[in-house]
Amino acid sequence: MWNSLAFRLWRAAYLRAVSSAFATVPLYRETWALRGRTDPVLVPGKTGTGGGALPADEVHRRLVDTAPLAGGSTEPDPARGLAGLLGHATERRSHRLVVVVDSDVARPPTGLPRGSRGCVLHPDAATAAGDEPVLREIVDTLRRGERVLAVGEAKNLDMLSAELPAELPPPDRVPHHRIDRPGGGPFGLLHDPLLGYLGVLRECGRLHVDRRHVYVRETPGGLAFTVLDRTSPRLVDVLIGGGVPGEVHACPKHASPVIDT
Amino acid sequence: MRAASVRTTAAARICDPRVDPPPGGWAEFADAARPHAVWDPDLLRVEGWLARNPPLLVTVHDTGGIVAALSALVCRPTRSPSYAPRRFRRGPMWVEVSQPWLSGLPGIVWRPGVSGDRLHAAVRSAERVLAQHLGAGLTGVFYRGVGSDLLPELAGRGRIHRRTDSSAVLDNTFADVDEWLASLSKSRRGGLRRHHRRAESDPALVIRGGPGRTDLDAATVAELLNNHRARFAARSGDTRSPITAPYVEAFVRRPDVHTLTYHDTDGRLLALNTLLDHRDVVVKQHWAALPREHGGRSGLYFDAYVRAVRWCIAHRRPRISSGRGKLDVKASLGFTPRVVHGVIAPRPVMGR
């Protein structure tokens, strides 16, 4: 594996997330105590099915049980993790306006670099008449000669570009990739409606995991993702895209974890 | 001194139902003692994993098998928002010998024929093994739901016992429901008949009952039970954890658990009642209902009583216990209060 100290820290963060979820979150307590899990095994003799990973639709159905006993939000944030990945997702370091064009994202991304603002545009609104405030904001920003970054499904980004006046420079764009529908480069973000942004396609052509905030492990059910820094809803070992088989290894160029599906 | 002769033959063992198999001889003991459904080690395993104070199953053995079994909840003064860890932590704690879901009944069951000195010695043996297992942080044992029959075996020098809220018991001496109704006051009789008739004739009410229910959504049942509990202020010292869906799932499927449900025609669960079948004391256990402001119906509480008593009469069960609380209402339904004690054995006198 990549740099062993970094791997050990990454792994330690994951083990803390598992331990905490087992001790305080009903969904994981029920699943792992009564059925079991692997890597790590928490109840001797119980290894469960699929290594203890849970399909995303089951987690979504039981979101109320993903809040810890102490209480917390049960609302997922599909824009989670975007800000931390933008640095690797585009060549330009910052944009005045970051627009997420996705029907699953309801709230703008937070934690953007100073001077950047985030907003959300529903794909249906992108094709509506020109009185949509977000569209007006995009046009005004482009007219001022400032940069706009559009993030979303490729077809939604195409729709947005078609709606903008032809005389304006096009916004930069970073398409979403789904784990079960990987796209080509050179840029892209691995996105899931439940877990948010999980990784980024870098110039080496590999899908890099957001290792500061996300852990991924191989299970019999497919690649299982864990959001490391979100306490509620707690999302641990979630099989996204219906469970896609894959491998986790080190990028030879960047020495950080990448996934191959 | 009275237990000295039998003390050497009674050996106590502690089983953590979460990870240990049922104690040796449990099947034979369960056949003989017929404990209520909540004592099933499989249910205790589910309950233990999903509780803050998981029950330990303490069994006392002699050459003939298990003499007595205790359900021991390890409790701590601070209630952190987390499930119990696999290994017991250090620090101050006490043990409550009780069955959390059997109100008014003790957390001890014993083999028929065991009483007096043998039971006394068995309990002391269990206390010693608890002290040994839990270490220096254990401050004592608190026995809940102790009836007058068991009190002499638990009380003693240095121990404290007090009367607590009585539990309500109905002795079934009736030939049919009408005879039971005839024993009640005129106003209560009329009210019960009216509520039962209204429930029976309501086309918007779907009433189902029976043992081993597999048609229930456990998550909905658990939610109704927990919401119902949350509406009433928790009694101080209530160490019970919320009821969970996996526990309900396993519980209502048992053949000795009868579940009565009231749904509306949209399939919404309005109320439910569980009845634990038993040859000596049938327990009218969980009752939960939606409040009226959320679409609940009035009178179902009484309808459930009519159905429970009718079932017990039809199946010739000698006694029904409906737990503690609402004693005035239960008295009007013919139930009589049964004296219940709490007994504390501080650490210095445990095992003595």
Side-chain angles (χ1 to χ4, degrees):
Chain A
M1 197 55 181
W2 46 294
N3 177 323
S4 63
L5 175 61
F7 171 74
R8 273 184 282 168
L9 292 173
W10 193 44
R11 170 90 180 150
Y14 168 68
L15 293 178
R16 281 197 299 276
V18 168
S19 168
S20 163
F22 185 63
T24 63
V25 183
L27 175 63
Y28 305 106
R29 184 71 171 195
E30 286 177 23
T31 307
W32 298 337
L34 304 180
R35 289 190 241 158
R37 62 161 290 141
T38 56
D39 192 28
V41 173
L42 296 173
V43 179
K46 285 196 178 291
T47 53
T49 52
L54 291 166
D57 54 353
E58 184 180 344
V59 176
H60 196 270
R61 201 172 52 248
R62 297 194 55 191
L63 271 174
V64 69
D65 290 328
T66 59
L69 294 176
S73 167
T74 56
E75 200 175 328
D77 178 10
R80 186 211 59 78
L82 175 62
L85 292 172
L86 284 179
H88 294 307
T90 66
E91 289 175 322
R92 201 174 297 277
R93 298 304 296 175
S94 80
H95 295 80
R96 173 63 69 190
L97 189 63
V98 177
V99 188
V100 181
V101 193
D102 194 306
S103 56
D104 291 322
V105 181
R107 282 188 303 209
T110 55
L112 294 170
R114 186 186 293 268
S116 289
R117 286 180 296 122
C119 60
V120 176
L121 182 64
H122 194 282
D124 295 342
T127 57
D131 58 350
E132 166 61 38
V134 176
L135 268 180
R136 278 208 310 275
E137 181 67 24
I138 295 169
V139 169
D140 291 347
T141 307
L142 290 171
R143 277 195 210 288
R144 289 196 300 270
E146 294 170 328
R147 305 299 305 182
V148 172
L149 175 67
V151 180
E153 297 273 345
K155 64 178 189 326
N156 294 335
L157 300 182
D158 292 342
M159 272 195 306
L160 173 63
S161 298
E163 288 301 312
L164 296 174
E167 71 274 14
L168 292 175
D172 295 335
R173 45 187 282 164
V174 178
H176 280 176
H177 293 302
R178 295 290 167 103
I179 189 125
D180 50 342
R181 283 179 275 134
F187 298 112
L189 288 162
L190 178 62
H191 182 252
D192 178 77
L194 179 64
L195 279 76
Y197 292 90
L198 303 168
V200 58
L201 195 63
R202 293 180 68 171
E203 70 281 4
C204 59
R206 296 181 184 88
L207 200 47
H208 287 249
V209 179
D210 178 9
R211 65 186 163 94
R212 289 180 189 280
H213 306 106
V214 174
Y215 185 88
V216 58
R217 75 176 178 113
E218 299 163 17
T219 71
L223 290 174
F225 290 80
T226 296
V227 177
L228 295 171
D229 59 347
R230 191 171 165 89
T231 52
S232 188
R234 193 73 64 85
L235 301 166
V236 183
D237 281 341
V238 182
L239 299 168
I240 62 174
V244 176
E247 290 179 358
V248 186
H249 55 85
C251 173
K253 184 175 179 188
H254 298 98
S256 62
V258 294
I259 53 176
D260 270 342
T261 55
Chain B
M1 284 302 287
R2 65 176 187 153
S5 58
V6 285
R7 190 173 288 171
T8 51
T9 61
R13 294 171 203 160
I14 290 185
C15 159
D16 182 347
R18 293 181 296 176
V19 289
D20 297 333
W26 179 263
E28 296 76 16
F29 175 71
D31 277 347
R34 293 282 301 275
H36 287 94
V38 290
W39 283 88
D40 182 345
D42 279 341
L43 281 177
L44 292 176
R45 180 178 64 85
V46 178
E47 184 186 349
W49 275 119
L50 305 176
R52 296 186 180 114
N53 309 313
L56 294 173
L57 189 57
V58 187
T59 49
V60 186
H61 302 247
D62 67 5
T63 49
I66 298 177
V67 180
L70 289 78
S71 163
L73 278 66
V74 180
C75 305
R76 292 172 185 279
T78 53
R79 298 187 75 183
S80 61
S82 62
Y83 296 105
R86 165 73 184 83
R87 290 185 175 78
F88 290 103
R89 298 188 309 268
R90 289 169 185 274
M93 70 186 101
W94 72 94
V95 163
E96 288 192 7
V97 175
S98 70
Q99 252 301 341
W101 307 120
L102 286 184
S103 171
L105 291 174
I108 306 176
V109 283
W110 56 92
R111 199 166 65 202
V114 172
S115 60
D117 285 353
R118 289 181 73 195
L119 189 55
H120 182 95
V123 170
R124 299 304 186 275
S125 177
E127 288 178 0
R128 280 193 295 275
V129 79
L130 277 168
Q132 203 173 12
H133 182 75
L134 296 171
L138 181 63
T139 54
V141 179
F142 177 27
Y143 296 91
R144 286 182 185 268
V146 177
S148 301
D149 53 339
L150 186 60
L151 184 64
E153 314 314 331
L154 301 181
R157 196 170 170 188
R159 294 167 182 248
I160 305 154
H161 63 91
R162 294 279 184 276
R163 269 186 71 166
T164 58
D165 292 347
S166 301
S167 70
V169 175
L170 178 70
D171 289 315
N172 178 15
T173 55
F174 311 104
D176 53 30
V177 173
D178 287 335
E179 196 178 320
W180 169 59
L181 289 171
S183 71
L184 308 180
S185 69
K186 189 177 174 186
S187 61
R188 178 56 77 200
R189 183 166 61 239
L192 284 173
R193 285 196 167 122
R194 191 172 60 251
H195 290 308
H196 185 56
R197 205 166 43 237
R198 195 185 296 162
E200 286 278 282
S201 60
D202 187 346
L205 203 57
V206 181
I207 307 172
R208 293 193 207 101
R213 295 280 296 268
T214 56
D215 58 326
L216 290 173
D217 177 7
T220 311
V221 171
E223 188 183 356
L224 183 67
L225 286 168
N226 288 323
N227 288 345
H228 187 90
R229 280 180 70 196
R231 287 214 312 277
F232 300 97
R235 288 179 293 119
S236 62
D238 188 349
T239 49
R240 296 178 296 177
S241 300
I243 298 163
T244 60
Y247 182 83
V248 171
E249 176 93 37
F251 184 61
V252 298
R253 286 169 181 261
R254 289 181 56 94
D256 51 354
V257 175
H258 294 241
T259 311
L260 174 69
T261 54
Y262 299 86
H263 289 84
D264 64 14
T265 44
D266 295 333
R268 193 163 59 128
L269 182 61
L270 302 176
L272 78 97
N273 187 201
T274 55
L275 199 69
L276 307 188
D277 190 10
H278 193 268
R279 66 181 174 196
D280 298 328
V281 186
V282 170
V283 175
K284 193 172 179 302
Q285 194 203 20
H286 293 299
W287 166 258
L290 281 183
R292 290 197 69 178
E293 58 270 27
H294 292 136
R297 312 285 175 86
S298 64
L300 299 183
Y301 179 81
F302 294 103
D303 179 65
Y305 265 96
V306 174
R307 290 169 194 274
V309 173
R310 186 168 63 196
W311 186 88
C312 288
I313 292 171
H315 292 83
R316 299 179 190 281
R317 298 295 187 264
R319 208 166 288 115
I320 311 171
S321 168
S322 67
R324 301 189 299 174
K326 287 195 168 189
L327 272 181
D328 51 341
V329 176
K330 290 170 185 173
S332 74
L333 294 166
F335 286 72
T336 50
R338 171 182 171 271
V339 174
V340 173
H341 295 83
V343 179
I344 296 173
R347 176 66 186 258
V349 300
M350 278 177 64
R352 295 168 192 273

